[in-house]
């Protein structure tokens, strides 16, 4: 099984334009610069050949000044977190995608991912859903079990932005980060850093999902996310989010 997993998930460095976009999206989201986000998204979209999807692999580290844009409450070293990306198309309409992103019960969207999940909105959800505000933020605590290695519980800050651009329907961006390391059941497991940036924009083939993640993680004291097996497992799990999102969207029809 492990051999098959390693064989089916390739780790390819991100093309420069995509690598740059991941960092621009992180920067523009933090600055709440919606016009800049829309322009950057349209620019990177023009470089994609959908016939080459899915794209997947690793990309450059977050810089300390990029981590400083969010409230990390301990002395995290961003160089110890590796960037992972996946780009593919979701089978979702605009309304279906928004429901998937904003659902307080994400265990309904990703039924096989969590052993516990609690999300609470921290900004005015009525203002967001009425269109008065383009942003909706939340706090989340969730638990996950990794077979053979044990589980962990972590708390994250997250949110979504609705982005108007050159498309007939909105694009969206989401960002999450963990202010502190996760609490792991097994002493050897460690999950120190987790930062995620996602951009979704409409296309003729469906919603294109650009998914970037920086993570510091290991299942033993001597392992980390750069171990080929862990890299493969992370990328495979990211693909699983695409499949589950499309399945949830289809369930709404």
């Amino acid at each position: 099984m492990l051999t098959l997993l390693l064989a089916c998930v390739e780790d390819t460095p991100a093309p420069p334009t995509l690598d740059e976009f991941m960092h621009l999206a992180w920067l523009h989201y933090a600055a709440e610069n919606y016009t800049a986000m829309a322009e950057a998204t349209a620019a990177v979209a023009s470089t994609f050949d959908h016939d080459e999807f899915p794209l997947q692999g690793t990309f450059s580290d977050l810089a300390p000044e990029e981590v400083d844009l969010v409230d990390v409450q301990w002395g995290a070293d961003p160089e110890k977190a590796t960037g992972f990306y996946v780009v593919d198309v979701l089978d979702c309409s605009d309304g279906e995608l928004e429901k998937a992103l904003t659902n307080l019960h994400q265990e309904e969207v990703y039924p096989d991912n969590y052993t516990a999940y609690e999300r609470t909105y921290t900004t005015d959800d009525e203002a967001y859903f009425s269109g008065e505000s383009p942003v909706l933020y939340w706090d989340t605590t969730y638990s996950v079990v990794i077979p053979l290695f044990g589980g962990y519980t972590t708390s994250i800050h997250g949110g979504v932005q609705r982005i108007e651009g050159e498309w007939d329907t909105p694009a969206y961006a989401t960002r999450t980060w963990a202010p502190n390391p996760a609490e792991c059941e097994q002493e050897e497991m460690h999950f120190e850093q987790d930062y995620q940036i996602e951009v979704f924009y409409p296309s003729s083939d469906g919603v294109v999902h650009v998914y970037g993640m920086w993570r510091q993680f290991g299942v033993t004291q001597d392992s980390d996310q750069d171990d080929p097996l862990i890299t493969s497992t992370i990328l495979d799990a990211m693909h699983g989010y695409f499949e589950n999102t499309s399945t949830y969207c289809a369930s709404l029809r």
Side-chain angles (χ1 to χ4, degrees), residues 149 187-190 217-224 230:
F149 294 106
E187 289 186 5
E188 288 196 338
M189 183 185 292
H190 54 98
F217 175 82
V219 293
T220 67
Q221 290 181 352
D222 298 327
S223 71
D224 64 20
I230 298 179

Side-chain angles (χ1 to χ4, degrees), residues 18-233:
L18 176 56
D19 195 313
E20 179 184 18
F21 174 71
M22 297 292 191
H23 291 271
L24 285 175
W26 180 267
L27 174 66
H28 292 327
Y29 189 106
E32 298 186 354
N33 189 334
Y34 313 120
T35 300
M37 180 74 88
E39 292 174 348
T41 301
V44 77
S46 69
T47 69
F48 289 142
D49 180 352
H50 291 197
D51 291 337
E52 297 179 354
F53 289 172
L55 303 174
Q56 62 194 13
T58 55
F59 68 106
S60 60
D61 297 343
L62 277 175
E65 57 269 24
E66 292 175 307
V67 174
D68 288 345
L69 296 174
V70 295
D71 182 21
V72 176
Q73 298 174 3
W74 65 289
D77 180 357
E79 290 187 358
K80 293 183 178 180
T82 301
F84 301 93
Y85 75 91
V86 176
V87 184
D88 205 353
V89 176
L90 300 174
D91 180 18
C92 294
S93 70
D94 168 62
E96 292 165 353
L97 175 63
E98 188 172 48
K99 288 180 180 178
L101 297 178
T102 60
N103 192 338
L104 286 173
H105 304 283
Q106 289 288 289
E107 69 276 15
E108 297 176 354
V109 187
Y110 307 105
D112 299 324
N113 289 65
Y114 306 108
T115 56
Y117 190 97
E118 183 177 1
R119 174 189 284 187
T120 304
Y121 293 141
T122 57
T123 58
D124 188 344
D125 57 304
E126 291 185 3
Y128 174 80
F129 289 115
S130 70
E132 179 183 349
S133 172
V135 299
L136 177 62
Y137 296 155
W138 51 74
D139 287 343
T140 299
T141 298
Y142 69 86
S143 300
V144 169
V145 171
I146 301 175
L148 303 180
F149 294 106
Y152 64 83
T153 297
T154 187
S155 295
I156 59 174
H157 302 303
V160 62
Q161 291 183 352
R162 185 188 298 113
I163 304 166
E164 304 294 341
E166 61 181 38
W167 313 278
D168 293 334
T169 57
Y172 298 89
T174 66
R175 182 191 65 185
T176 64
W177 80 94
N180 291 293
E183 297 180 2
C184 299
E185 294 177 358
Q186 304 298 325
E187 289 186 5
E188 288 196 338
M189 183 185 292
H190 54 98
F191 187 4
E192 294 90 346
Q193 297 185 77
D194 188 28
Y195 315 92
Q196 299 188 37
I197 186 73
E198 303 176 65
V199 177
F200 309 78
Y201 65 88
S203 76
S204 58
D205 296 326
V207 175
V208 176
H209 180 191
V210 183
Y211 186 6
M213 170 195 296
W214 294 269
R215 180 162 285 186
Q216 181 184 2
F217 175 82
V219 293
T220 67
Q221 290 181 352
D222 298 327
S223 71
D224 64 20
Q225 67 284 345
D226 295 326
D227 178 283
L229 176 58
I230 298 179
T231 292
S232 182
T233 301

